[in-house]
Amino acid sequence: MLGGLRVVDVTWFSLGFSFLLAFCLHRFSRYVPHEFERSHTFQLFQDLIRYGKTKAQIKRSDLLRVFDVPKRWFWHFYAVSVVWNGLLLTLLLRAIMSEEGLPKWLVDTLSFLKGEQPSTGTDRPLSVWMVHILLWVHCLRRLLECLYVSVFSNGVIHIVQYAFGLSYYIFLGLTVLCVDISPSDEGSSLLSQLQWYHVAGTGLFLWASWLQHHSLALLASLRTGNTGAVKTLAHRMPHGCWFDLVSCPHYFAELLIYVSMAACLGGASVTWWLVVLYVLFNQALTAQLCHEFYRSKFEEYPPQRKAFIPFVL
């Protein structure tokens, strides 16, 4: 612990604050002197917050291009998450079946992150189980979409962004096991713990997942013909569904998915709300960059569209 604060909470707060700061710096970057825009510091900052099509809007040195990896490697993030979080779920189930508890390495890791001795796998509340299952389902769907739905161009991401993406889902799975919900907050058996907010959270998760899938399928259709064959890798202006309200409804859906998990925790986990804040600022930054790309590329881009949250941002 750091001054009585849990390592897991400090980490998510720091990540959220960092992306909020990056969002604010980017919004005010238009006012920086032109001399600073040519500096290595400014170019590195822009390179680290952008990926894919939005990198094409900035000047990048040959040195920065050395650290590029294909954006289509996004599927690696979800593959790692499916395997890792599937392993954690299996260990939890095994702990219940054998009543032996979690492996020592996992107990020690959770103890470090929480700053206290974690509860065993046999006394996890239903809320934690539900969030872990929903997270696994979400990442499995995104993996399948990356492999069979999305049509990636030749866009790139920075190797630092790639490493961060891999680490993110590993840490996220551990975070689920660290949420500040104790078994005493709910009933004794799993069935007796079922509450209205579990149903509401699952309902929101399903709807947000549909919205994200539908949005990604619509984006893919802009590059494919009726047969599904790829016709172009060019970026086209999306229309229909929630694209008439925001430039990036799939990012808004991502935020709602994490909010739905907070709902499944009864809205009582400070740790998970810190995760939600991180997702809010992270997706807001990415959506803002995409919004600016669309507005610069298409002169007829609808002025009433927001970037991320309908009618708000």
Side-chain angles (χ1 to χ4, degrees), residues 131-177:
V131 169
H132 219 139
I133 292 172
L134 293 181
L135 175 62
W136 187 85
V137 170
H138 169 61
C139 292
L140 176 62
R141 176 181 60 81
R142 290 294 293 119
L143 173 61
L144 295 176
E145 287 169 344
C146 286
L147 294 176
Y148 302 110
V149 177
S150 298
V151 180
F152 291 100
S153 64
N154 295 321
V156 297
I157 60 177
H158 197 283
I159 188 65
V160 171
Q161 295 170 314
Y162 178 75
F164 177 81
L166 294 176
S167 304
Y168 168 79
Y169 285 102
I170 294 176
F171 189 66
L172 186 62
L174 294 171
T175 299
V176 176
L177 302 181

mmCIF file of all heavy atoms in Angstrom, residues 131-177:
data_model
loop_
_atom_site.group_PDB
_atom_site.id
_atom_site.type_symbol
_atom_site.label_atom_id
_atom_site.label_comp_id
_atom_site.label_asym_id
_atom_site.label_seq_id
_atom_site.Cartn_x
_atom_site.Cartn_y
_atom_site.Cartn_z
ATOM 1 N N VAL A 131 -19.110 -10.048 -13.227
ATOM 2 C CA VAL A 131 -18.243 -9.098 -13.923
ATOM 3 C C VAL A 131 -17.128 -9.835 -14.662
ATOM 4 O O VAL A 131 -16.797 -9.505 -15.807
ATOM 5 C CB VAL A 131 -17.655 -8.072 -12.933
ATOM 6 C CG1 VAL A 131 -16.555 -7.249 -13.597
ATOM 7 C CG2 VAL A 131 -18.751 -7.163 -12.412
ATOM 8 N N HIS A 132 -16.558 -10.861 -14.035
ATOM 9 C CA HIS A 132 -15.481 -11.602 -14.682
ATOM 10 C C HIS A 132 -15.991 -12.348 -15.912
ATOM 11 O O HIS A 132 -15.325 -12.400 -16.952
ATOM 12 C CB HIS A 132 -14.855 -12.593 -13.698
ATOM 13 C CG HIS A 132 -13.371 -12.677 -13.835
ATOM 14 N ND1 HIS A 132 -12.507 -12.746 -12.762
ATOM 15 C CD2 HIS A 132 -12.582 -12.676 -14.928
ATOM 16 C CE1 HIS A 132 -11.269 -12.791 -13.196
ATOM 17 N NE2 HIS A 132 -11.281 -12.766 -14.506
ATOM 18 N N ILE A 133 -17.179 -12.905 -15.821
ATOM 19 C CA ILE A 133 -17.757 -13.607 -16.970
ATOM 20 C C ILE A 133 -18.091 -12.624 -18.086
ATOM 21 O O ILE A 133 -17.811 -12.884 -19.270
ATOM 22 C CB ILE A 133 -19.004 -14.394 -16.543
ATOM 23 C CG1 ILE A 133 -18.608 -15.556 -15.625
ATOM 24 C CG2 ILE A 133 -19.763 -14.930 -17.754
ATOM 25 C CD1 ILE A 133 -19.771 -16.284 -15.000
ATOM 26 N N LEU A 134 -18.680 -11.475 -17.730
ATOM 27 C CA LEU A 134 -19.016 -10.468 -18.740
ATOM 28 C C LEU A 134 -17.758 -9.941 -19.419
ATOM 29 O O LEU A 134 -17.750 -9.715 -20.642
ATOM 30 C CB LEU A 134 -19.794 -9.321 -18.102
ATOM 31 C CG LEU A 134 -21.201 -9.641 -17.585
ATOM 32 C CD1 LEU A 134 -21.849 -8.398 -16.993
ATOM 33 C CD2 LEU A 134 -22.074 -10.238 -18.680
ATOM 34 N N LEU A 135 -16.690 -9.740 -18.655
ATOM 35 C CA LEU A 135 -15.431 -9.290 -19.238
ATOM 36 C C LEU A 135 -14.898 -10.312 -20.221
ATOM 37 O O LEU A 135 -14.441 -9.961 -21.321
ATOM 38 C CB LEU A 135 -14.408 -9.033 -18.125
ATOM 39 C CG LEU A 135 -12.992 -8.663 -18.584
ATOM 40 C CD1 LEU A 135 -13.006 -7.360 -19.366
ATOM 41 C CD2 LEU A 135 -12.050 -8.561 -17.381
ATOM 42 N N TRP A 136 -14.956 -11.584 -19.856
ATOM 43 C CA TRP A 136 -14.472 -12.640 -20.742
ATOM 44 C C TRP A 136 -15.307 -12.713 -22.015
ATOM 45 O O TRP A 136 -14.762 -12.829 -23.122
ATOM 46 C CB TRP A 136 -14.498 -13.983 -20.013
ATOM 47 C CG TRP A 136 -13.854 -15.089 -20.800
ATOM 48 C CD1 TRP A 136 -12.531 -15.399 -20.850
ATOM 49 C CD2 TRP A 136 -14.516 -16.024 -21.667
ATOM 50 N NE1 TRP A 136 -12.307 -16.470 -21.687
ATOM 51 C CE2 TRP A 136 -13.513 -16.877 -22.205
ATOM 52 C CE3 TRP A 136 -15.840 -16.224 -22.028
ATOM 53 C CZ2 TRP A 136 -13.805 -17.904 -23.091
ATOM 54 C CZ3 TRP A 136 -16.135 -17.252 -22.928
ATOM 55 C CH2 TRP A 136 -15.130 -18.088 -23.446
ATOM 56 N N VAL A 137 -16.620 -12.613 -21.890
ATOM 57 C CA VAL A 137 -17.512 -12.637 -23.051
ATOM 58 C C VAL A 137 -17.237 -11.433 -23.954
ATOM 59 O O VAL A 137 -17.196 -11.559 -25.186
ATOM 60 C CB VAL A 137 -18.985 -12.654 -22.600
ATOM 61 C CG1 VAL A 137 -19.926 -12.435 -23.786
ATOM 62 C CG2 VAL A 137 -19.316 -13.967 -21.912
ATOM 63 N N HIS A 138 -17.048 -10.280 -23.347
ATOM 64 C CA HIS A 138 -16.762 -9.067 -24.115
ATOM 65 C C HIS A 138 -15.492 -9.229 -24.944
ATOM 66 O O HIS A 138 -15.463 -8.908 -26.140
ATOM 67 C CB HIS A 138 -16.618 -7.884 -23.154
ATOM 68 C CG HIS A 138 -16.075 -6.640 -23.789
ATOM 69 N ND1 HIS A 138 -16.714 -5.979 -24.821
ATOM 70 C CD2 HIS A 138 -14.928 -5.929 -23.541
ATOM 71 C CE1 HIS A 138 -15.999 -4.927 -25.187
ATOM 72 N NE2 HIS A 138 -14.918 -4.885 -24.423
ATOM 73 N N CYS A 139 -14.431 -9.733 -24.325
ATOM 74 C CA CYS A 139 -13.156 -9.876 -25.027
ATOM 75 C C CYS A 139 -13.224 -10.976 -26.086
ATOM 76 O O CYS A 139 -12.586 -10.866 -27.141
ATOM 77 C CB CYS A 139 -12.039 -10.153 -24.028
ATOM 78 S SG CYS A 139 -11.681 -8.738 -22.959
ATOM 79 N N LEU A 140 -13.993 -12.033 -25.836
ATOM 80 C CA LEU A 140 -14.168 -13.070 -26.843
ATOM 81 C C LEU A 140 -14.887 -12.505 -28.068
ATOM 82 O O LEU A 140 -14.487 -12.772 -29.214
ATOM 83 C CB LEU A 140 -14.960 -14.241 -26.267
ATOM 84 C CG LEU A 140 -15.289 -15.370 -27.253
ATOM 85 C CD1 LEU A 140 -14.009 -16.014 -27.796
ATOM 86 C CD2 LEU A 140 -16.185 -16.419 -26.593
ATOM 87 N N ARG A 141 -15.924 -11.704 -27.834
ATOM 88 C CA ARG A 141 -16.633 -11.079 -28.959
ATOM 89 C C ARG A 141 -15.709 -10.157 -29.734
ATOM 90 O O ARG A 141 -15.683 -10.184 -30.972
ATOM 91 C CB ARG A 141 -17.844 -10.300 -28.447
ATOM 92 C CG ARG A 141 -18.585 -9.537 -29.568
ATOM 93 C CD ARG A 141 -19.757 -8.747 -29.036
ATOM 94 N NE ARG A 141 -19.350 -7.753 -28.057
ATOM 95 C CZ ARG A 141 -18.850 -6.550 -28.393
ATOM 96 N NH1 ARG A 141 -18.677 -6.227 -29.669
ATOM 97 N NH2 ARG A 141 -18.519 -5.698 -27.458
ATOM 98 N N ARG A 142 -14.927 -9.346 -29.039
ATOM 99 C CA ARG A 142 -14.027 -8.427 -29.722
ATOM 100 C C ARG A 142 -12.947 -9.180 -30.490
ATOM 101 O O ARG A 142 -12.534 -8.746 -31.569
ATOM 102 C CB ARG A 142 -13.374 -7.476 -28.705
ATOM 103 C CG ARG A 142 -14.326 -6.474 -28.103
ATOM 104 C CD ARG A 142 -14.848 -5.475 -29.158
ATOM 105 N NE ARG A 142 -13.745 -4.638 -29.617
ATOM 106 C CZ ARG A 142 -13.323 -4.594 -30.874
ATOM 107 N NH1 ARG A 142 -13.886 -5.371 -31.804
ATOM 108 N NH2 ARG A 142 -12.332 -3.818 -31.219
ATOM 109 N N LEU A 143 -12.495 -10.295 -29.966
ATOM 110 C CA LEU A 143 -11.515 -11.104 -30.688
ATOM 111 C C LEU A 143 -12.108 -11.606 -32.005
ATOM 112 O O LEU A 143 -11.473 -11.516 -33.067
ATOM 113 C CB LEU A 143 -11.063 -12.281 -29.824
ATOM 114 C CG LEU A 143 -10.154 -13.317 -30.497
ATOM 115 C CD1 LEU A 143 -8.855 -12.679 -30.968
ATOM 116 C CD2 LEU A 143 -9.878 -14.480 -29.551
ATOM 117 N N LEU A 144 -13.321 -12.128 -31.940
ATOM 118 C CA LEU A 144 -13.978 -12.641 -33.143
ATOM 119 C C LEU A 144 -14.243 -11.515 -34.141
ATOM 120 O O LEU A 144 -14.122 -11.714 -35.360
ATOM 121 C CB LEU A 144 -15.276 -13.346 -32.763
ATOM 122 C CG LEU A 144 -15.117 -14.611 -31.906
ATOM 123 C CD1 LEU A 144 -16.479 -15.165 -31.507
ATOM 124 C CD2 LEU A 144 -14.304 -15.675 -32.645
ATOM 125 N N GLU A 145 -14.595 -10.341 -33.637
ATOM 126 C CA GLU A 145 -14.835 -9.207 -34.537
ATOM 127 C C GLU A 145 -13.546 -8.774 -35.226
ATOM 128 O O GLU A 145 -13.552 -8.454 -36.422
ATOM 129 C CB GLU A 145 -15.435 -8.042 -33.750
ATOM 130 C CG GLU A 145 -16.882 -8.258 -33.360
ATOM 131 C CD GLU A 145 -17.379 -7.226 -32.371
ATOM 132 O OE1 GLU A 145 -16.534 -6.524 -31.752
ATOM 133 O OE2 GLU A 145 -18.603 -7.117 -32.196
ATOM 134 N N CYS A 146 -12.448 -8.746 -34.483
ATOM 135 C CA CYS A 146 -11.162 -8.374 -35.088
ATOM 136 C C CYS A 146 -10.754 -9.349 -36.183
ATOM 137 O O CYS A 146 -10.190 -8.959 -37.210
ATOM 138 C CB CYS A 146 -10.081 -8.306 -34.017
ATOM 139 S SG CYS A 146 -10.168 -6.860 -32.940
ATOM 140 N N LEU A 147 -11.054 -10.632 -35.966
ATOM 141 C CA LEU A 147 -10.627 -11.666 -36.912
ATOM 142 C C LEU A 147 -11.573 -11.818 -38.097
ATOM 143 O O LEU A 147 -11.126 -12.120 -39.214
ATOM 144 C CB LEU A 147 -10.493 -13.004 -36.181
ATOM 145 C CG LEU A 147 -9.390 -13.090 -35.114
ATOM 146 C CD1 LEU A 147 -9.433 -14.443 -34.416
ATOM 147 C CD2 LEU A 147 -8.011 -12.851 -35.719
ATOM 148 N N TYR A 148 -12.883 -11.599 -37.874
ATOM 149 C CA TYR A 148 -13.855 -11.959 -38.912
ATOM 150 C C TYR A 148 -14.780 -10.832 -39.355
ATOM 151 O O TYR A 148 -15.510 -11.010 -40.328
ATOM 152 C CB TYR A 148 -14.711 -13.132 -38.418
ATOM 153 C CG TYR A 148 -13.905 -14.351 -38.063
ATOM 154 C CD1 TYR A 148 -13.773 -14.754 -36.739
ATOM 155 C CD2 TYR A 148 -13.243 -15.092 -39.045
ATOM 156 C CE1 TYR A 148 -13.027 -15.879 -36.395
ATOM 157 C CE2 TYR A 148 -12.491 -16.206 -38.714
ATOM 158 C CZ TYR A 148 -12.384 -16.591 -37.393
ATOM 159 O OH TYR A 148 -11.632 -17.693 -37.059
ATOM 160 N N VAL A 149 -14.766 -9.684 -38.677
ATOM 161 C CA VAL A 149 -15.679 -8.602 -39.047
ATOM 162 C C VAL A 149 -14.924 -7.365 -39.515
ATOM 163 O O VAL A 149 -15.141 -6.883 -40.630
ATOM 164 C CB VAL A 149 -16.612 -8.233 -37.865
ATOM 165 C CG1 VAL A 149 -17.504 -7.045 -38.243
ATOM 166 C CG2 VAL A 149 -17.460 -9.420 -37.456
ATOM 167 N N SER A 150 -14.060 -6.843 -38.678
ATOM 168 C CA SER A 150 -13.364 -5.599 -38.982
ATOM 169 C C SER A 150 -12.428 -5.753 -40.173
ATOM 170 O O SER A 150 -11.846 -6.821 -40.388
ATOM 171 C CB SER A 150 -12.562 -5.117 -37.766
ATOM 172 O OG SER A 150 -13.413 -4.835 -36.675
ATOM 173 N N VAL A 151 -12.327 -4.673 -40.942
ATOM 174 C CA VAL A 151 -11.402 -4.625 -42.078
ATOM 175 C C VAL A 151 -10.362 -3.562 -41.762
ATOM 176 O O VAL A 151 -10.636 -2.363 -41.830
ATOM 177 C CB VAL A 151 -12.140 -4.279 -43.385
ATOM 178 C CG1 VAL A 151 -11.147 -4.239 -44.543
ATOM 179 C CG2 VAL A 151 -13.248 -5.289 -43.657
ATOM 180 N N PHE A 152 -9.177 -3.997 -41.406
ATOM 181 C CA PHE A 152 -8.130 -3.063 -40.998
ATOM 182 C C PHE A 152 -7.370 -2.560 -42.220
ATOM 183 O O PHE A 152 -7.092 -3.318 -43.154
ATOM 184 C CB PHE A 152 -7.157 -3.743 -40.040
ATOM 185 C CG PHE A 152 -7.750 -4.052 -38.691
ATOM 186 C CD1 PHE A 152 -8.193 -5.338 -38.384
ATOM 187 C CD2 PHE A 152 -7.871 -3.068 -37.728
ATOM 188 C CE1 PHE A 152 -8.731 -5.627 -37.152
ATOM 189 C CE2 PHE A 152 -8.404 -3.345 -36.485
ATOM 190 C CZ PHE A 152 -8.847 -4.628 -36.192
ATOM 191 N N SER A 153 -7.037 -1.283 -42.180
ATOM 192 C CA SER A 153 -6.196 -0.711 -43.225
ATOM 193 C C SER A 153 -4.740 -0.989 -42.871
ATOM 194 O O SER A 153 -4.440 -1.864 -42.063
ATOM 195 C CB SER A 153 -6.450 0.799 -43.323
ATOM 196 O OG SER A 153 -6.046 1.438 -42.121
ATOM 197 N N ASN A 154 -3.851 -0.227 -43.467
ATOM 198 C CA ASN A 154 -2.425 -0.389 -43.165
ATOM 199 C C ASN A 154 -1.978 0.553 -42.047
ATOM 200 O O ASN A 154 -0.801 0.900 -41.964
ATOM 201 C CB ASN A 154 -1.597 -0.143 -44.427
ATOM 202 C CG ASN A 154 -1.868 -1.194 -45.500
ATOM 203 O OD1 ASN A 154 -2.024 -2.375 -45.189
ATOM 204 N ND2 ASN A 154 -1.962 -0.759 -46.746
ATOM 205 N N GLY A 155 -2.919 0.956 -41.199
ATOM 206 C CA GLY A 155 -2.603 1.835 -40.086
ATOM 207 C C GLY A 155 -1.684 1.169 -39.083
ATOM 208 O O GLY A 155 -1.557 -0.060 -39.043
ATOM 209 N N VAL A 156 -1.064 1.981 -38.247
ATOM 210 C CA VAL A 156 -0.075 1.466 -37.296
ATOM 211 C C VAL A 156 -0.374 1.995 -35.895
ATOM 212 O O VAL A 156 -1.126 2.950 -35.709
ATOM 213 C CB VAL A 156 1.361 1.866 -37.699
ATOM 214 C CG1 VAL A 156 1.723 1.254 -39.049
ATOM 215 C CG2 VAL A 156 1.504 3.396 -37.746
ATOM 216 N N ILE A 157 0.247 1.356 -34.915
ATOM 217 C CA ILE A 157 0.251 1.834 -33.537
ATOM 218 C C ILE A 157 1.692 1.813 -33.041
ATOM 219 O O ILE A 157 2.543 1.114 -33.595
ATOM 220 C CB ILE A 157 -0.643 0.968 -32.617
ATOM 221 C CG1 ILE A 157 -0.142 -0.480 -32.598
ATOM 222 C CG2 ILE A 157 -2.096 1.035 -33.034
ATOM 223 C CD1 ILE A 157 -0.930 -1.372 -31.642
ATOM 224 N N HIS A 158 1.957 2.599 -32.026
ATOM 225 C CA HIS A 158 3.299 2.650 -31.445
ATOM 226 C C HIS A 158 3.534 1.391 -30.618
ATOM 227 O O HIS A 158 2.607 0.835 -30.025
ATOM 228 C CB HIS A 158 3.434 3.898 -30.566
ATOM 229 C CG HIS A 158 4.837 4.289 -30.247
ATOM 230 N ND1 HIS A 158 5.596 3.620 -29.297
ATOM 231 C CD2 HIS A 158 5.644 5.273 -30.741
ATOM 232 C CE1 HIS A 158 6.787 4.179 -29.221
ATOM 233 N NE2 HIS A 158 6.844 5.187 -30.076
ATOM 234 N N ILE A 159 4.760 0.935 -30.576
ATOM 235 C CA ILE A 159 5.093 -0.270 -29.820
ATOM 236 C C ILE A 159 4.756 -0.089 -28.339
ATOM 237 O O ILE A 159 4.396 -1.067 -27.652
ATOM 238 C CB ILE A 159 6.594 -0.623 -29.994
ATOM 239 C CG1 ILE A 159 6.901 -1.984 -29.369
ATOM 240 C CG2 ILE A 159 7.475 0.473 -29.431
ATOM 241 C CD1 ILE A 159 6.224 -3.137 -30.046
ATOM 242 N N VAL A 160 4.836 1.137 -27.832
ATOM 243 C CA VAL A 160 4.448 1.400 -26.440
ATOM 244 C C VAL A 160 2.953 1.185 -26.260
ATOM 245 O O VAL A 160 2.509 0.609 -25.261
ATOM 246 C CB VAL A 160 4.852 2.831 -26.029
ATOM 247 C CG1 VAL A 160 4.268 3.181 -24.664
ATOM 248 C CG2 VAL A 160 6.367 2.972 -26.009
ATOM 249 N N GLN A 161 2.150 1.640 -27.239
ATOM 250 C CA GLN A 161 0.707 1.411 -27.183
ATOM 251 C C GLN A 161 0.395 -0.079 -27.241
ATOM 252 O O GLN A 161 -0.525 -0.560 -26.565
ATOM 253 C CB GLN A 161 0.016 2.135 -28.336
ATOM 254 C CG GLN A 161 0.119 3.648 -28.276
ATOM 255 C CD GLN A 161 -0.373 4.312 -29.549
ATOM 256 O OE1 GLN A 161 -0.036 3.896 -30.655
ATOM 257 N NE2 GLN A 161 -1.173 5.352 -29.401
ATOM 258 N N TYR A 162 1.143 -0.795 -28.037
ATOM 259 C CA TYR A 162 0.944 -2.243 -28.158
ATOM 260 C C TYR A 162 1.242 -2.944 -26.837
ATOM 261 O O TYR A 162 0.454 -3.777 -26.372
ATOM 262 C CB TYR A 162 1.838 -2.781 -29.275
ATOM 263 C CG TYR A 162 1.767 -4.279 -29.460
ATOM 264 C CD1 TYR A 162 0.659 -4.875 -30.075
ATOM 265 C CD2 TYR A 162 2.810 -5.094 -29.037
ATOM 266 C CE1 TYR A 162 0.599 -6.244 -30.252
ATOM 267 C CE2 TYR A 162 2.755 -6.469 -29.219
ATOM 268 C CZ TYR A 162 1.653 -7.032 -29.825
ATOM 269 O OH TYR A 162 1.589 -8.393 -29.996
ATOM 270 N N ALA A 163 2.363 -2.595 -26.221
ATOM 271 C CA ALA A 163 2.724 -3.202 -24.935
ATOM 272 C C ALA A 163 1.713 -2.834 -23.858
ATOM 273 O O ALA A 163 1.365 -3.664 -23.003
ATOM 274 C CB ALA A 163 4.133 -2.754 -24.533
ATOM 275 N N PHE A 164 1.242 -1.597 -23.891
ATOM 276 C CA PHE A 164 0.247 -1.162 -22.913
ATOM 277 C C PHE A 164 -1.046 -1.953 -23.083
ATOM 278 O O PHE A 164 -1.677 -2.358 -22.101
ATOM 279 C CB PHE A 164 -0.039 0.332 -23.077
ATOM 280 C CG PHE A 164 -1.114 0.845 -22.158
ATOM 281 C CD1 PHE A 164 -0.821 1.161 -20.846
ATOM 282 C CD2 PHE A 164 -2.413 1.011 -22.614
ATOM 283 C CE1 PHE A 164 -1.813 1.643 -19.988
ATOM 284 C CE2 PHE A 164 -3.409 1.481 -21.763
ATOM 285 C CZ PHE A 164 -3.106 1.795 -20.453
ATOM 286 N N GLY A 165 -1.463 -2.175 -24.335
ATOM 287 C CA GLY A 165 -2.690 -2.925 -24.587
ATOM 288 C C GLY A 165 -2.615 -4.349 -24.072
ATOM 289 O O GLY A 165 -3.593 -4.873 -23.518
ATOM 290 N N LEU A 166 -1.473 -4.986 -24.232
ATOM 291 C CA LEU A 166 -1.302 -6.346 -23.717
ATOM 292 C C LEU A 166 -1.359 -6.371 -22.192
ATOM 293 O O LEU A 166 -1.999 -7.236 -21.592
ATOM 294 C CB LEU A 166 0.024 -6.924 -24.203
ATOM 295 C CG LEU A 166 0.167 -7.181 -25.706
ATOM 296 C CD1 LEU A 166 1.580 -7.661 -26.030
ATOM 297 C CD2 LEU A 166 -0.851 -8.199 -26.200
ATOM 298 N N SER A 167 -0.691 -5.394 -21.571
ATOM 299 C CA SER A 167 -0.656 -5.344 -20.108
ATOM 300 C C SER A 167 -2.016 -4.973 -19.529
ATOM 301 O O SER A 167 -2.379 -5.427 -18.435
ATOM 302 C CB SER A 167 0.394 -4.328 -19.643
ATOM 303 O OG SER A 167 1.663 -4.620 -20.192
ATOM 304 N N TYR A 168 -2.752 -4.167 -20.259
ATOM 305 C CA TYR A 168 -4.026 -3.648 -19.764
ATOM 306 C C TYR A 168 -4.985 -4.772 -19.398
ATOM 307 O O TYR A 168 -5.577 -4.777 -18.308
ATOM 308 C CB TYR A 168 -4.644 -2.740 -20.828
ATOM 309 C CG TYR A 168 -6.079 -2.366 -20.570
ATOM 310 C CD1 TYR A 168 -6.401 -1.360 -19.659
ATOM 311 C CD2 TYR A 168 -7.118 -3.000 -21.238
ATOM 312 C CE1 TYR A 168 -7.715 -1.010 -19.411
ATOM 313 C CE2 TYR A 168 -8.439 -2.660 -20.996
ATOM 314 C CZ TYR A 168 -8.734 -1.657 -20.088
ATOM 315 O OH TYR A 168 -10.044 -1.329 -19.855
ATOM 316 N N TYR A 169 -5.158 -5.735 -20.296
ATOM 317 C CA TYR A 169 -6.157 -6.771 -20.044
ATOM 318 C C TYR A 169 -5.695 -7.770 -18.980
ATOM 319 O O TYR A 169 -6.525 -8.400 -18.327
ATOM 320 C CB TYR A 169 -6.513 -7.477 -21.349
ATOM 321 C CG TYR A 169 -7.402 -6.618 -22.216
ATOM 322 C CD1 TYR A 169 -6.891 -5.923 -23.313
ATOM 323 C CD2 TYR A 169 -8.751 -6.472 -21.917
ATOM 324 C CE1 TYR A 169 -7.713 -5.116 -24.080
ATOM 325 C CE2 TYR A 169 -9.574 -5.673 -22.688
ATOM 326 C CZ TYR A 169 -9.045 -4.996 -23.763
ATOM 327 O OH TYR A 169 -9.862 -4.180 -24.518
ATOM 328 N N ILE A 170 -4.388 -7.912 -18.827
ATOM 329 C CA ILE A 170 -3.889 -8.750 -17.728
ATOM 330 C C ILE A 170 -4.199 -8.081 -16.393
ATOM 331 O O ILE A 170 -4.717 -8.705 -15.457
ATOM 332 C CB ILE A 170 -2.379 -8.991 -17.884
ATOM 333 C CG1 ILE A 170 -2.108 -9.841 -19.134
ATOM 334 C CG2 ILE A 170 -1.819 -9.668 -16.638
ATOM 335 C CD1 ILE A 170 -0.641 -10.051 -19.434
ATOM 336 N N PHE A 171 -3.907 -6.789 -16.301
ATOM 337 C CA PHE A 171 -4.166 -6.060 -15.059
ATOM 338 C C PHE A 171 -5.663 -5.923 -14.793
ATOM 339 O O PHE A 171 -6.104 -5.944 -13.641
ATOM 340 C CB PHE A 171 -3.517 -4.683 -15.126
ATOM 341 C CG PHE A 171 -3.542 -3.935 -13.828
ATOM 342 C CD1 PHE A 171 -2.817 -4.388 -12.737
ATOM 343 C CD2 PHE A 171 -4.287 -2.771 -13.687
ATOM 344 C CE1 PHE A 171 -2.836 -3.710 -11.526
ATOM 345 C CE2 PHE A 171 -4.314 -2.087 -12.484
ATOM 346 C CZ PHE A 171 -3.584 -2.554 -11.401
ATOM 347 N N LEU A 172 -6.453 -5.807 -15.871
ATOM 348 C CA LEU A 172 -7.894 -5.670 -15.709
ATOM 349 C C LEU A 172 -8.494 -6.919 -15.077
ATOM 350 O O LEU A 172 -9.371 -6.832 -14.208
ATOM 351 C CB LEU A 172 -8.549 -5.391 -17.065
ATOM 352 C CG LEU A 172 -10.042 -5.082 -17.053
ATOM 353 C CD1 LEU A 172 -10.324 -3.810 -16.260
ATOM 354 C CD2 LEU A 172 -10.565 -4.940 -18.477
ATOM 355 N N GLY A 173 -8.028 -8.095 -15.497
ATOM 356 C CA GLY A 173 -8.523 -9.331 -14.917
ATOM 357 C C GLY A 173 -8.210 -9.430 -13.438
ATOM 358 O O GLY A 173 -9.044 -9.881 -12.639
ATOM 359 N N LEU A 174 -7.005 -9.005 -13.053
ATOM 360 C CA LEU A 174 -6.641 -9.000 -11.641
ATOM 361 C C LEU A 174 -7.472 -7.982 -10.867
ATOM 362 O O LEU A 174 -7.818 -8.200 -9.696
ATOM 363 C CB LEU A 174 -5.155 -8.687 -11.484
ATOM 364 C CG LEU A 174 -4.182 -9.737 -12.033
ATOM 365 C CD1 LEU A 174 -2.752 -9.204 -12.006
ATOM 366 C CD2 LEU A 174 -4.286 -11.038 -11.250
ATOM 367 N N THR A 175 -7.807 -6.872 -11.530
ATOM 368 C CA THR A 175 -8.605 -5.838 -10.878
ATOM 369 C C THR A 175 -9.980 -6.359 -10.489
ATOM 370 O O THR A 175 -10.506 -6.012 -9.425
ATOM 371 C CB THR A 175 -8.750 -4.616 -11.799
ATOM 372 O OG1 THR A 175 -7.456 -4.078 -12.078
ATOM 373 C CG2 THR A 175 -9.601 -3.534 -11.146
ATOM 374 N N VAL A 176 -10.564 -7.192 -11.341
ATOM 375 C CA VAL A 176 -11.881 -7.758 -11.027
ATOM 376 C C VAL A 176 -11.829 -8.510 -9.701
ATOM 377 O O VAL A 176 -12.763 -8.449 -8.892
ATOM 378 C CB VAL A 176 -12.362 -8.691 -12.152
ATOM 379 C CG1 VAL A 176 -13.687 -9.354 -11.774
ATOM 380 C CG2 VAL A 176 -12.521 -7.918 -13.456
ATOM 381 N N LEU A 177 -10.724 -9.202 -9.459
ATOM 382 C CA LEU A 177 -10.574 -9.955 -8.218
ATOM 383 C C LEU A 177 -10.231 -9.066 -7.026
ATOM 384 O O LEU A 177 -10.196 -9.541 -5.895
ATOM 385 C CB LEU A 177 -9.482 -11.021 -8.383
ATOM 386 C CG LEU A 177 -9.700 -12.030 -9.508
ATOM 387 C CD1 LEU A 177 -8.568 -13.042 -9.536
ATOM 388 C CD2 LEU A 177 -11.039 -12.723 -9.351
#
